[in-house]
Amino acid sequence: MLKLKSNVAISESGFVFDAGTGDSFSLNATGLEIVQLIQAGKDFPEILKILSEKYEVDPESFERYYYDFVATLKQMNLFVHHGEE
């Protein structure tokens, strides 16, 4: 399960700040919604169900974009690795 590091702060407007590195960036509304669902402990099937009911998106496209997005977040080192925290 994905879990954001405790030193990562995300504002309601989508501003992300990593206190550990000093890095910051902004998420668009959909990216923010996905991160909030991840923070709530939702896994991919749950996130797909929630967002596909809310938006018109085909599951194959969403899956590709979701995993690309998550890979970017992982590359930015925003998630806890197993055994950490």
Side-chain angles (χ1 to χ4, degrees):
M1 180 167 74
L2 296 173
K3 182 178 179 193
L4 286 173
K5 289 184 173 182
S6 61
N7 63 344
V8 174
I10 302 174
S11 75
E12 291 182 20
S13 64
F15 181 78
V16 179
F17 178 70
D18 183 344
T21 64
D23 293 335
S24 63
F25 59 95
S26 294
L27 297 171
N28 66 21
T30 306
L32 177 60
E33 193 167 2
I34 290 170
V35 168
Q36 289 171 332
L37 290 168
I38 290 170
Q39 285 180 303
K42 305 293 185 195
D43 61 8
F44 173 75
E46 293 172 301
I47 293 171
L48 172 62
K49 182 178 186 311
I50 291 165
L51 294 183
S52 64
E53 288 173 356
K54 188 172 183 178
Y55 304 106
E56 287 186 28
V57 60
D58 69 280
E60 295 79 24
S61 293
F62 179 77
E63 182 174 11
R64 184 175 71 247
Y65 295 131
Y66 172 84
Y67 285 113
D68 284 349
F69 177 67
V70 168
T72 300
L73 296 177
K74 285 180 180 178
Q75 186 176 23
M76 298 175 100
N77 204 25
L78 297 179
F79 290 114
V80 173
H81 298 287
H82 295 291
E84 287 185 7
E85 187 125 31

